[in-house]
Amino acid sequence: MAPTLLLSLLLGGAAALTGASPASAHAALVSSDPAADSTVTESVERATLTFSEPPLTGLDAGLRIEVLDESGADVSSGSVEVSGASMSRAVDLGPGRYRVLWRYVSPDGHPITGEYGFTSAVEVETPDADPTSSPTAGDPAAGGAATSEPSSSAAAGSDDDLAEAGSAEDPTVLPWVAGGAALLALVVAVVALARRTRRPHARP
């Protein structure tokens, strides 16, 4: 009876040690930036979470950080980066309340999850107003130099001069003039020849 009881105690102790060993290997969240329930007043470029132990090697794909604004939109971007026992992700924060949802993989392969909130009081920089437009040239009301426009008579005169100059210098006009003169001379010769042939011959 005593050996059996002793064996049972040994088996129970071994089972207890076996069950407690994995539990002691679970990592826990130690700190965060931004901190839980805090209010940040300066620009934050990354949300960083630090744990008691580094994550399980080779399971970086199981690490997750999401920073959600009041509408539920995720303002984090890029991949999760691991440095020792810390993981971080880039964020773009404006003023408002945020929730951080995270997932971590302990060294024993057990995933742990959690969430916390914080408030951002960072003011969003607005672009400078566009400078006033410079005065338009030719607008006396805007301070620009007035430009004079040529009168209609001067414009008409210049157009006539250009037309006359173009007709006098156009090389295509000369062949037509020469052809017309030649045609006129040919008509005059034909008429004169016809008159001669119509005169009656003188009688002997």
Side-chain angles (χ1 to χ4, degrees):
M1 185 90 178
T4 304
L5 181 58
L6 180 60
L7 180 61
S8 299
L9 292 175
L10 291 176
L11 291 176
L17 292 175
T18 304
S21 177
S24 63
H26 291 174
L29 180 63
V30 176
S31 63
S32 61
D33 182 23
D37 300 324
S38 65
T39 299
V40 295
T41 57
E42 297 181 356
S43 177
V44 177
E45 296 182 355
R46 304 187 69 85
T48 305
L49 285 76
T50 303
F51 295 83
S52 58
E53 294 179 294
L56 182 62
T57 304
L59 286 183
D60 293 351
L63 307 181
R64 186 187 69 174
I65 297 177
E66 292 181 358
V67 182
L68 308 180
D69 61 11
E70 295 177 346
S71 65
D74 189 1
V75 298
S76 56
S77 61
S79 59
V80 176
E81 296 184 2
V82 179
S83 177
S86 299
M87 66 176 183
S88 64
R89 193 177 181 192
V91 294
D92 183 11
L93 303 180
R97 180 72 179 173
Y98 292 90
R99 285 193 309 143
V100 179
L101 283 68
W102 56 267
R103 183 178 187 272
Y104 197 72
V105 181
S106 298
D108 64 345
H110 182 76
I112 56 176
T113 60
E115 69 173 275
Y116 68 91
F118 69 93
T119 303
S120 173
V122 178
E123 296 294 336
V124 179
E125 296 182 0
T126 56
D128 297 337
D130 295 335
T132 57
S133 57
S134 58
T136 305
D139 187 0
T147 56
S148 59
E149 296 182 357
S151 60
S152 58
S153 59
S158 60
D159 292 341
D160 295 339
D161 295 340
L162 291 176
E164 293 177 2
S167 61
E169 297 176 1
D170 191 355
T172 59
V173 177
L174 296 179
W176 287 100
V177 174
L183 181 60
L184 181 60
L186 180 60
V187 171
V188 172
V190 171
V191 171
L193 181 61
R195 287 180 178 180
R196 291 180 180 180
T197 55
R198 289 179 183 179
R199 289 178 181 178
H201 294 283
R203 295 180 178 180

